[in-house]
Amino acid sequence: MYQINFDEPCRVYFMGIGGISMSGLAEILMKEGFTVTGSDMRESDLTKQLEAAGAKINYQQIASNIDPEAIDVVVYTAAIHENHPELAEVIRLDIPRLTRAELLGQIMRNYKTSIAISGTHGKTTTTSMITEVMLEAGLDPTITVGGMLDCIHGNFHLGSSDCFITEACEYTNSFLSFYPTVEAVLNIEADHLDFFKDLEDIRHSFRLFMEKLPAGGVLVINSEIDGWEELTAGLSCRVVTFGLEDSAADFTAANVTYDEQAHPSFDLLVLRDGSYEKVTEIRLNAPGIHNLKNALACAAIALEQGVKPEAVAAGLNRFGNAHRRFEYKGSIGGVKIVDDYAHHPQEIDATLAAAREMKTGKIWCAFQSHTYTRTKALLDEFANSLSKADEVLLAPIFAARETDTLGISSQDIADRIERLGTKAHNFESFDEIETFILTNCQPGDLVITMGAGDIYKVGENLLGK
């Protein structure tokens, strides 16, 4: 495998440079003196930012972009296959190449402390939380996060300390290319079933990820994960647990209350010598019990790294969600518009539960399912979760990398939701959804645009953004 040498910056070509993760890695290398070029299908705010920093980007992904005289190594994502015009040319010319995960793993090796946040969901939020806490503590970590974060003015920050923070995604086992010294495992659920065989296959992947921790490393794991003790048995690292339902967790919460926006406040407790000790009080500006659990994971990581409790409390209080995580977009005619990235049934459950904690009128969920594979595998689970809204508006499935519909459409979700007693409407376009909202929603209602695709455009169109 090609090895990046940070003492001798080279010329790196990024295929799909405009992706949320790829753009952050490209910026890190540029700040370190590397020459960065790349390609993407279309111009975006992220590509414009890279170009302003000096990157040269092609907006056609064709073989002639690959110049062996100007490229030392190519970086590509798991979504790019060997028949892709650029990658096929890279292979033909035998130019060294790295996956995005392999590059990220090599970057992590340059830091004394590398914190990797994993889990089926909650990664971006928890990574954002720990970023706020570390900055509040006066540390200056290097950060790459899968969302736009206001406190670092983007999705990446090149720090001055010997600490690196990143998300760690299990899809295609990419996190097995990482070299963390600290890991968080937030949850393990059935997802990405176009790659994994089943839940046991996913659990096996997470176990391999845990085994990458060195003897002096720290694993922070949710004690509500089924069989977490079995998953962690025999690890050489220190294992620290967090959770609400398990009274034996090392980090837990007590005296939980919610304000009118469903923001939780609680006492942070730490198990010491067999009894719980109150460490500090936490007040979040992000809604829902799922964010309370994310905050527990964040607090465990930070306190294990020697951060003072008051910095943990202040950093978590300042955190107000990454973009597309229960993000308030505005209101129109007295109807609130919120956008959320939830694209897995458990995430939908958490988002709708947070909405229920708010004092609001009817809850409308405009949902866009993400990939045919996930939709087919979790069809009943999607229906059960979405039925917890008062009314559901379904957009066409977002295909992403897939071309085979598998005979599945949003109407299949709608039919199942209706059988559960919740009204569901299937639409062919965003325009139809927007018209329906304007016609049917009343002042005081809440509309949540939800999904990992481009459903957020519905809210932005309604608000004229």
Side-chain angles (χ1 to χ4, degrees):
M1 183 192 302
Y2 186 91
Q3 296 293 318
I4 292 285
N5 184 346
F6 282 78
D7 294 325
E8 298 179 7
C10 63
R11 300 165 298 179
V12 185
Y13 188 92
F14 284 83
M15 297 169 57
I17 197 169
I20 193 75
S21 176
M22 291 282 272
S23 62
L25 297 179
E27 284 211 48
I28 289 174
L29 292 189
M30 291 174 72
K31 294 281 187 179
E32 295 285 356
F34 288 74
T35 299
V36 168
T37 56
S39 67
D40 214 292
M41 295 297 292
R42 60 187 65 85
E43 189 178 53
S44 66
D45 289 342
L46 290 173
T47 60
K48 290 176 185 176
Q49 181 176 315
L50 289 168
E51 287 176 317
K56 181 181 177 182
I57 301 176
N58 301 303
Y59 291 104
Q60 282 185 305
Q61 295 185 313
I62 54 179
S64 59
N65 292 340
I66 306 302
D67 179 2
E69 300 300 319
I71 300 170
D72 295 311
V73 61
V74 170
V75 180
Y76 64 102
T77 68
I80 294 177
H81 301 292
E82 291 189 355
N83 61 355
H84 185 281
E86 287 185 327
L87 185 55
E89 185 70 357
V90 169
I91 294 170
R92 187 184 74 81
L93 295 171
D94 198 26
I95 297 173
R97 60 190 186 274
L98 295 171
T99 65
R100 179 203 64 85
E102 288 168 344
L103 172 61
L104 181 51
Q106 291 190 23
I107 290 174
M108 293 174 79
R109 279 183 150 171
N110 284 270
Y111 293 84
K112 181 179 179 181
T113 301
S114 291
I115 301 171
I117 310 298
S118 74
T120 311
H121 41 85
K123 294 184 290 293
T124 297
T125 297
T126 308
T127 304
S128 302
M129 284 179 170
I130 195 65
T131 293
E132 291 277 15
V133 168
M134 292 300 197
L135 292 174
E136 177 66 30
L139 303 173
D140 187 25
T142 294
I143 301 146
T144 175
V145 60
M148 304 304 287
L149 190 56
D150 290 337
C151 70
I152 58 174
H153 309 292
N155 63 318
F156 122 95
H157 172 70
L158 183 63
S160 58
S161 74
D162 207 10
C163 178
F164 184 86
I165 303 171
T166 187
E167 295 181 32
C169 182
E170 73 277 13
Y171 184 56
T172 68
N173 287 326
S174 63
F175 60 5
L176 300 186
S177 296
F178 292 2
Y179 297 93
T181 60
V182 179
E183 289 179 4
V185 179
L186 305 175
N187 35 67
I188 303 176
E189 302 292 337
D191 199 9
H192 300 304
L193 296 175
D194 58 329
F195 176 77
F196 294 109
K197 291 184 294 186
D198 50 29
L199 180 57
E200 282 306 308
D201 192 23
I202 297 169
R203 287 170 62 89
H204 175 68
S205 181
F206 272 91
R207 168 65 192 203
L208 294 177
F209 178 57
M210 297 174 201
E211 290 176 356
K212 295 187 70 67
L213 283 166
V218 178
L219 171 66
V220 174
I221 186 168
N222 187 346
S223 62
E224 295 172 19
I225 295 172
D226 288 340
W228 71 267
E229 299 99 330
E230 177 186 354
L231 276 172
T232 60
L235 293 176
S236 60
C237 64
R238 174 171 161 76
V239 177
V240 177
T241 59
F242 70 93
L244 290 181
E245 298 170 7
D246 185 345
S247 60
D250 296 307
F251 289 79
T252 192
N255 302 319
V256 180
T257 59
Y258 295 88
D259 65 14
E260 290 186 354
Q261 284 75 46
H263 300 155
S265 297
F266 60 95
D267 294 337
L268 174 64
L269 306 183
V270 180
L271 186 63
R272 290 175 178 159
D273 298 324
S275 60
Y276 281 108
E277 175 184 324
K278 177 180 173 180
V279 175
T280 188
E281 295 178 7
I282 305 290
R283 182 172 66 84
L284 295 180
N285 284 307
I289 193 170
H290 62 298
N291 276 320
L292 190 161
K293 294 179 182 180
N294 292 335
L296 287 176
C298 170
I301 293 167
L303 292 172
E304 285 290 321
Q305 295 303 304
V307 175
K308 293 182 179 179
E310 53 266 32
V312 173
L316 285 171
N317 177 251
R318 194 171 61 210
F319 171 73
N321 266 356
H323 294 276
R324 298 221 63 210
R325 271 69 182 179
F326 212 90
E327 180 183 6
Y328 175 68
K329 305 292 289 190
S331 63
I332 179 170
V335 177
K336 293 180 180 178
I337 308 291
V338 166
D339 180 59
D340 196 274
Y341 191 71
H343 58 285
H344 183 276
Q346 268 212 334
E347 295 169 342
I348 296 167
D349 281 338
T351 300
L352 292 177
R356 287 290 175 206
E357 294 287 345
M358 299 173 64
K359 290 181 169 56
T360 185
K362 192 171 183 178
I363 297 173
W364 303 77
C365 181
F367 180 69
Q368 179 187 43
S369 194
H370 191 266
T371 74
Y372 299 105
T373 303
R374 180 184 283 116
T375 306
K376 183 174 183 178
L378 302 174
L379 199 53
D380 290 330
E381 290 88 344
F382 275 123
N384 287 330
S385 296
L386 289 165
S387 68
K388 294 167 187 174
D390 292 316
E391 203 149 341
V392 182
L393 317 177
L394 292 159
I397 294 170
F398 190 84
R401 56 191 171 269
E402 296 181 345
T403 56
D404 186 353
T405 69
L406 305 177
I408 292 293
S409 75
S410 292
Q411 187 61 51
D412 295 297
I413 307 175
D415 292 342
R416 283 163 173 77
I417 293 172
E418 289 273 355
R419 288 201 290 269
L420 292 169
T422 299
K423 285 187 178 180
H425 311 269
N426 186 31
F427 298 94
E428 295 300 321
S429 70
F430 288 173
D431 285 343
E432 292 178 29
I433 295 176
E434 292 158 22
T435 299
F436 186 92
I437 289 170
L438 290 171
T439 304
N440 292 276
C441 293
Q442 302 296 316
D445 287 355
L446 172 66
V447 173
I448 306 174
T449 56
M450 185 185 291
D454 56 356
I455 189 68
Y456 65 88
K457 292 178 180 177
V458 167
E460 293 189 350
N461 291 341
L462 288 170
L463 296 167
K465 293 187 176 182

